[in-house]
Amino acid sequence: MSSVTAERKDFAASKKLRDVMGQYFVDLDRGAAEGKKTAWCTSVGPAELLWAMGFNVYFPENHGAMLGASRMATDLIPLANAQGYSPDICSYLTSDIGAHLKGQSPMQKMKLSGPPKADVLVFNTNQCRDVKDWFQFYAREWNVPCVGVHTPRAIGDIGGEMIGQIADQIEALVEPLEGVTGQKFDIDRLRETIAISKRTTLLWKAVLETAKNVPAPITFFDDTIQMGPAVVMRGLKEAAEYYEILLAELKERVAAGVAAVNGERLRIYWEGMPIWGKLSALSSQFLELQTCVVASTYCNSWVFEALDPADPFRSMAQAYSDIFICRSDDRKEAYMEHMLKEYKIDGVLYHDAKTCPNNSNCRYGLAQRVQKKLGQPYLIINGDLNDLRMYSEEQTRTNIEAFVEQLLQR
Ligand code: SF4
């Protein structure tokens, strides 16, 4: 191993990130305490509609990731298993329900009361069925409505008819949501929210794309932290303002040739879910190996270029059906090919997450087909987003080391 310092370089903007995210959680807590209606929303659900209708908008997948990153998840999952939620289904779902049953949350360490109780739960099945089952648990628990959008999966061509049907489903949410808020829907407010969301999403895309530079100024591990506002605050101007600051800092890094990984020797693409409880250990290992994980499908999943304030419902339908996770394998392959070329990738790491078959994309020969076309070697690691019982740290470390060695010898 080289003597180059293996030190993660944080961003000056990160202090602002903590403030912005902290304020989001404080507002969420305060809003709920003051009687503002709270809507739970899936991460690629119709958040713009909910913000525009004046809801407190809460994203339980973000809470799931917090349970994973804080390593609380593994102890909480069995509580949900005991209620009949299998250890094989989404570990965001099982750890979140376990946290609810035990009355524990990482939000309490932030001096907040914990996840706000929902007045309505709004899902989109574009990513998986688990989100609907997850929300229905709470709908039964609190006797509140659970409404949503049923998007087809494994979509090839996104045709006008399909978009029309999804747009109709989103528009049909307005009436039950008005019933919860007691306020009339305002289309102009929705257009404004979509405009802000689009600005946020394009800035987030620009942030990610700075990693096309060699050396890359940011890594996938940084992205998993920096993506917070794009996930939970799109539709709020503070998210867009934050990414302007971060992007400016990244551009300075690029101009000055500052590498996120000192002595960058290799560039890796991360496919699949993060392993939340091991991000820090993995980040350190790649730093030591002078290998930069420069891009991922996961962090790019919050880039919604199709959003258009002039055509709110159809453009939301288009944007939310366009995401990698709900596309057919040939579309996924085309996307991967584009990304591997754009980011000058040397090798691909596929994370086969035990409890998320929906976002484990190496189970039907995709890795082999992409390698055959483009030639980059790949490594499949077995693990999970939250359930660390499914992950062997020692074995993964050894496999990553061997993979990097193999790439260096090419
Ligand atoms: S996509 Fe995977 S991780 Fe996300 S909610 Fe669905 S099953 Fe869970």
Side-chain angles (χ1 to χ4, degrees):
M1 190 182 304
S2 146
S3 61
V4 176
T5 321
E7 196 177 273
R8 186 171 166 268
K9 293 173 197 156
D10 200 5
F11 297 92
S14 293
K15 186 193 168 304
K16 177 80 180 159
L17 174 69
R18 287 189 285 276
D19 292 347
V20 167
M21 289 297 287
Q23 192 59 47
Y24 162 75
F25 283 112
V26 167
D27 290 347
L28 196 63
D29 212 43
R30 188 187 302 139
E34 290 174 355
K36 194 171 173 184
K37 299 291 182 191
T38 297
W40 285 29
C41 184
T42 52
S43 64
V44 196
E48 290 78 9
L49 180 63
L50 300 173
W51 287 120
M53 292 185 76
F55 282 99
N56 237 0
V57 189
Y58 168 75
F59 296 86
E61 284 153 79
N62 174 248
H63 189 242
M66 286 162 77
L67 290 165
S70 61
R71 301 204 205 139
M72 293 168 72
T74 306
D75 291 338
L76 295 168
I77 289 167
L79 291 161
N81 301 153
Q83 299 288 318
Y85 289 89
S86 162
D88 292 335
I89 64 167
C90 174
S91 59
Y92 276 169
L93 179 164
T94 48
S95 49
D96 180 71
I97 290 179
H100 170 74
L101 294 172
K102 202 163 184 189
Q104 283 185 355
S105 165
M107 289 166 77
Q108 290 155 350
K109 289 189 189 131
M110 298 156 71
K111 301 202 176 9
L112 302 166
S113 16
K117 180 177 168 294
D119 295 292
V120 62
L121 302 118
V122 186
F123 62 83
N124 188 341
T125 59
N126 49 1
Q127 56 192 94
C128 61
R129 67 161 277 180
D130 300 54
V131 285
K132 181 177 174 184
D133 291 279
W134 183 355
F135 280 19
Q136 285 179 328
F137 167 87
Y138 288 101
R140 285 189 290 270
E141 186 84 349
W142 292 323
N143 195 24
V144 294
C146 179
V147 293
V149 180
H150 294 91
T151 301
R153 300 203 7 100
I155 304 169
D157 284 335
I158 299 182
E161 196 184 329
M162 191 190 79
I163 293 302
Q165 285 168 0
I166 298 169
D168 288 348
Q169 289 189 59
I170 301 174
E171 197 161 356
L173 296 174
V174 168
E175 199 182 316
L177 292 173
E178 281 179 338
V180 178
T181 59
Q183 287 171 25
K184 282 309 268 179
F185 166 68
D186 176 351
I187 187 86
D188 291 326
R189 215 168 147 205
L190 178 60
R191 290 184 204 281
E192 281 163 28
T193 311
I194 288 178
I196 295 170
S197 208
K198 175 143 192 178
R199 197 173 131 222
T200 302
T201 213
L202 292 181
L203 282 160
W204 174 235
K205 180 172 188 248
V207 163
L208 294 171
E209 286 186 346
T210 60
K212 287 182 184 174
N213 289 283
V214 182
I218 188 166
T219 75
F220 161 69
F221 301 103
D222 299 317
D223 297 339
T224 58
I225 299 165
Q226 297 291 343
M227 69 194 280
V231 178
V232 302
M233 295 173 69
R234 63 178 195 276
L236 301 185
K237 65 177 179 18
E238 290 80 1
E241 287 165 3
Y242 174 68
Y243 287 126
E244 273 165 6
I245 295 170
L246 177 63
L247 185 58
E249 186 175 349
L250 282 162
K251 285 181 176 169
E252 279 171 24
R253 274 196 183 185
V254 171
V258 175
V261 172
N262 279 345
E264 176 188 301
R265 298 185 295 178
L266 293 168
R267 298 165 66 83
I268 301 279
Y269 186 89
W270 183 287
E271 210 313 293
M273 296 295 294
I275 303 169
W276 288 106
K278 293 292 169 186
L279 285 180
S280 169
L282 285 162
S283 168
S284 299
Q285 184 183 12
F286 280 107
L287 277 168
E288 285 161 16
L289 293 167
Q290 292 172 253
T291 296
C292 190
V293 183
V294 293
S296 66
T297 27
Y298 181 74
C299 294
N300 272 280
S301 298
W302 283 269
V303 173
F304 304 118
E305 291 182 86
L307 289 176
D308 179 2
D311 194 1
F313 291 109
R314 277 188 72 87
S315 75
M316 283 166 76
Q318 175 85 40
Y320 294 154
S321 309
D322 219 4
I323 54 172
F324 185 88
I325 193 168
C326 67
R327 303 307 298 278
S328 61
D329 258 31
D330 56 339
R331 299 305 157 127
K332 288 181 180 174
E333 254 175 77
Y335 179 83
M336 293 275 300
E337 284 171 32
H338 170 76
M339 293 294 277
L340 301 197
K341 285 180 193 155
E342 286 285 304
Y343 284 82
K344 304 170 197 77
I345 298 296
D346 296 300
V348 186
L349 187 152
Y350 292 87
H351 172 207
D352 190 342
K354 171 76 175 162
T355 73
C356 181
N358 310 288
N359 207 10
S360 294
N361 298 295
C362 54
R363 296 186 182 182
Y364 297 88
L366 180 78
Q368 287 79 355
R369 291 194 298 274
V370 171
Q371 185 187 25
K372 200 167 170 198
K373 260 191 206 152
L374 297 187
Q376 289 95 337
Y378 65 87
L379 170 70
I380 296 176
I381 60 169
N382 293 102
D384 193 54
L385 45 139
N386 268 16
D387 193 342
L388 293 178
R389 295 170 301 180
M390 310 293 174
Y391 179 69
S392 163
E393 184 156 29
E394 206 176 316
Q395 190 183 336
T396 306
R397 250 192 108 73
T398 309
N399 290 348
I400 289 174
E401 262 170 38
F403 183 53
V404 164
E405 208 45 55
Q406 176 196 352
L407 294 178
L408 286 172
Q409 279 169 16
R410 285 184 93 218

